[in-house]
Amino acid sequence: MADLNAEREKLTELSRVWKEERTTIKAKDQSLSMTFDGRGDLVELVFNESKYRAMPPAQLASVILETLRNGRAKSLERMNEIMGVGGSQDGIDLAAFATGELDAEKIMESLMGPMYEKMDEFGVEMPGRRETPRREE
């Protein structure tokens, strides 16, 4: 139950971040800046001065895409930091979830797995739960 409560607290903090936090990233050449919401969605694009006007279209497109990638990555890093991914703890890799590399079933297993293991140790049956192979000790 302690693990479940810890995960619940992480999800509460993540929900707050999604609603309240903003991340602003500037292009390397300072020609533009982008602001992302807590989910990593672009909410504002600001062109600084007139520097962008002198850029060839391909260069401007490259700067926009690079800044967009950097901003999304920064937002996803923040989400992973909250959920404990990349450290010593297992957690939900939100970057993988956002890019479609992680499915909902794996998320549930990450959240509920420790509880299921404890219930298995005590011989508690869970109706409707799919049987997962036991690990060899």
Side-chain angles (χ1 to χ4, degrees), residues 17-32:
V17 166
W18 281 351
K19 291 175 187 172
E20 299 173 8
E21 286 194 12
R22 297 285 185 262
T23 301
T24 300
I25 302 292
K26 290 186 178 185
K28 287 181 184 177
D29 65 0
Q30 306 297 311
S31 61
L32 59 92

Side-chain angles (χ1 to χ4, degrees), residues 11-137:
L11 291 172
T12 299
E13 174 64 7
L14 182 64
S15 179
R16 186 199 63 75
V17 166
W18 281 351
K19 291 175 187 172
E20 299 173 8
E21 286 194 12
R22 297 285 185 262
T23 301
T24 300
I25 302 292
K26 290 186 178 185
K28 287 181 184 177
D29 65 0
Q30 306 297 311
S31 61
L32 59 92
S33 64
M34 294 181 176
T35 300
F36 299 84
D37 66 12
R39 294 179 184 268
D41 292 328
L42 180 65
V43 294
E44 184 176 59
L45 170 61
V46 176
F47 290 95
N48 301 323
E49 308 290 325
S50 60
K51 186 173 188 172
Y52 72 94
R53 292 180 187 185
M55 293 178 161
Q59 181 183 2
L60 178 58
S62 177
V63 168
I64 290 171
L65 290 174
E66 178 184 15
T67 307
L68 182 63
R69 275 190 224 98
N70 290 341
R72 293 228 2 131
K74 190 76 165 170
S75 294
L76 292 172
E77 283 174 19
R78 175 73 173 119
M79 288 185 241
N80 282 336
E81 174 187 307
I82 291 167
M83 296 307 294
V85 175
S88 60
Q89 303 172 317
D90 288 332
I92 299 171
D93 184 348
L94 294 168
F97 182 66
T99 59
E101 297 172 18
L102 183 66
D103 64 25
E105 189 172 318
K106 288 183 182 178
I107 289 175
M108 285 306 297
E109 185 59 34
S110 174
L111 291 171
M112 303 301 289
M115 184 178 77
Y116 290 154
E117 288 175 9
K118 287 291 182 196
M119 294 178 90
D120 286 346
E121 285 177 22
F122 293 109
V124 175
E125 295 288 324
M126 297 228 11
R129 179 175 166 231
R130 286 193 348 209
E131 194 63 32
T132 55
R134 288 186 181 263
R135 291 183 273 180
E136 296 297 321
E137 305 285 330

